[in-house]
Amino acid sequence: MKRPIFGAGWKMYLSDSEACQLAAIINESTVLDESVESYVLPTFTALNRVNNILADSIVNVGAQNISYEQSGAFTGEVSVRSLVEMGLKYVEIGHSERRSLFNDTHVSINRKVKLALENKLVPILCIGEDLNDKISMRTNEVLEMDIRTALFGVDYEGAKEIIFAYEPIWAIGQQESAGAKYANNVHMFIRKLLHSLYHESQNGNEFKIVYGGSVSTDNVEQLMNEPHIDGVFVGRSSLDLKSYETIFRKVSKSTCVK
Ligand code: PGA
């Protein structure tokens, strides 16, 4: 049985002290347990402190981005080496906000994925179509392009490490998620594609695919009940303890139906 996944992307919502306060109360929470693979992704400057606060917690800590270069004259960038030194395990790569606002490209995303894997970090690779793509029925085409380019030169063992986060851009930051059935169908497509890319793959079930985009305490159960949804990636609804705990509990319970 797969361990369900609950990732929390805090984006730039919280200041360092706010991120530390939230991490401290998460650390004290009695509802969290190891049945769920969980991680929080605070802003860079809060990483070290949040990581120390959660050092003995079952909640892991990761970064929201890395440089595609290992080291050198790259002003303002953050090296994968610094994340490894800090003892982090996860790094988010290619969120749609980074693609659309900060020029992450297929090429740079592929380099970041490979650098993360070489350094034993779990890449959380975000992929997803925008509204125009959806309306013009290009969802599968866009996803195939995102996935093939991101995995260029990545072997089967590497691909199994990656958490694929399907995040339809039109469903991020909205009132409603994409809908459980819609998301499940897309996850099924992604799973089949991954299976077809790696001849070692048995049936595609070994790949980890989570859904992100307006996940809330109200819709998480429905999403997690779908067979191809291995977990959720949550933005706004992960920012207060009550909803964090509720989502955690519901993700944990979903193991019964899988
Ligand atoms: P949201 O963000 O849950 O606030 O929609 C999700 C994301 O961008 O990963």
Side-chain angles (χ1 to χ4, degrees):
M1 197 158 46
K2 273 188 189 169
R3 240 168 120 213
I5 300 169
F6 171 23
W10 291 349
K11 307 195 185 196
M12 206 177 69
Y13 284 123
L14 306 174
S15 71
D16 284 20
S17 63
E18 288 165 347
C20 289
Q21 275 166 26
L22 180 55
I25 52 174
I26 286 175
N27 191 44
E28 297 293 310
S29 170
T30 53
V31 308
L32 315 185
D33 62 49
E34 284 179 4
S35 62
V36 176
E37 176 178 354
S38 64
Y39 48 84
V40 295
L41 312 178
T43 191
F44 275 120
T45 48
L47 272 176
N48 214 349
R49 284 165 69 195
V50 168
N51 196 36
N52 288 336
I53 291 167
L54 293 172
D56 297 323
S57 164
I58 55 101
V59 179
N60 293 289
V61 181
Q64 298 178 11
N65 186 27
I66 42 167
S67 170
Y68 58 75
E69 295 285 355
Q70 183 104 18
S71 64
F74 302 101
T75 302
E77 289 292 278
V78 176
S79 167
V80 67
R81 297 193 307 157
S82 304
L83 307 188
V84 172
E85 272 181 15
M86 222 185 273
L88 302 184
K89 297 204 179 66
Y90 294 82
V91 62
E92 182 177 4
I93 295 173
H95 189 280
S96 63
E97 286 146 22
R98 295 223 55 89
R99 292 180 195 248
S100 65
L101 302 171
F102 302 104
N103 302 325
D104 263 1
T105 64
H106 288 321
V107 172
S108 65
I109 287 167
N110 174 242
R111 289 181 67 179
K112 290 178 187 193
V113 167
K114 287 198 280 204
L115 206 49
L117 288 170
E118 281 160 21
N119 286 278
K120 308 267 174 275
L121 291 179
V122 174
I124 303 150
L125 172 65
C126 301
I127 49 178
E129 80 283 12
D130 66 21
L131 191 58
N132 276 337
D133 297 326
K134 178 177 184 270
I135 292 168
S136 50
M137 318 264 268
R138 291 183 62 243
T139 298
N140 292 358
E141 201 182 308
V142 168
L143 288 169
E144 182 159 356
M145 179 65 128
D146 283 352
I147 290 171
R148 279 182 183 274
T149 52
L151 294 182
F152 187 74
V154 174
D155 66 12
Y156 175 61
E157 292 307 319
K160 278 196 300 181
E161 289 300 312
I162 296 171
I163 295 175
F164 295 88
Y166 170 55
E167 301 213 307
I169 298 167
W170 50 271
I172 293 175
Q174 306 297 317
Q175 294 297 326
E176 302 282 334
S177 75
K181 296 286 174 217
Y182 180 91
N184 187 60
N185 279 336
V186 178
H187 281 222
M188 194 159 64
F189 168 78
I190 295 170
R191 205 176 287 293
K192 278 190 185 152
L193 175 66
L194 290 169
H195 173 59
S196 73
L197 291 179
Y198 295 98
H199 66 86
E200 301 97 323
S201 170
Q202 295 289 313
N203 51 20
N205 281 337
E206 67 273 49
F207 298 108
K208 293 177 272 186
I209 311 172
V210 303
Y211 169 81
S214 302
V215 176
S216 69
T217 52
D218 293 333
N219 60 30
V220 64
E221 226 161 346
Q222 266 182 316
L223 288 160
M224 289 304 301
N225 280 345
E226 295 295 333
H228 289 288
I229 300 183
D230 300 324
V232 285
F233 192 20
V234 188
R236 292 156 298 157
S237 295
S238 68
L239 297 174
D240 80 85
L241 183 69
K242 209 158 167 270
S243 66
Y244 187 94
E245 286 184 332
T246 305
I247 291 174
F248 199 105
R249 221 181 294 115
K250 290 184 173 178
V251 170
S252 170
K253 268 200 194 140
S254 72
T255 46
C256 313
V257 299
K258 292 259 158 93

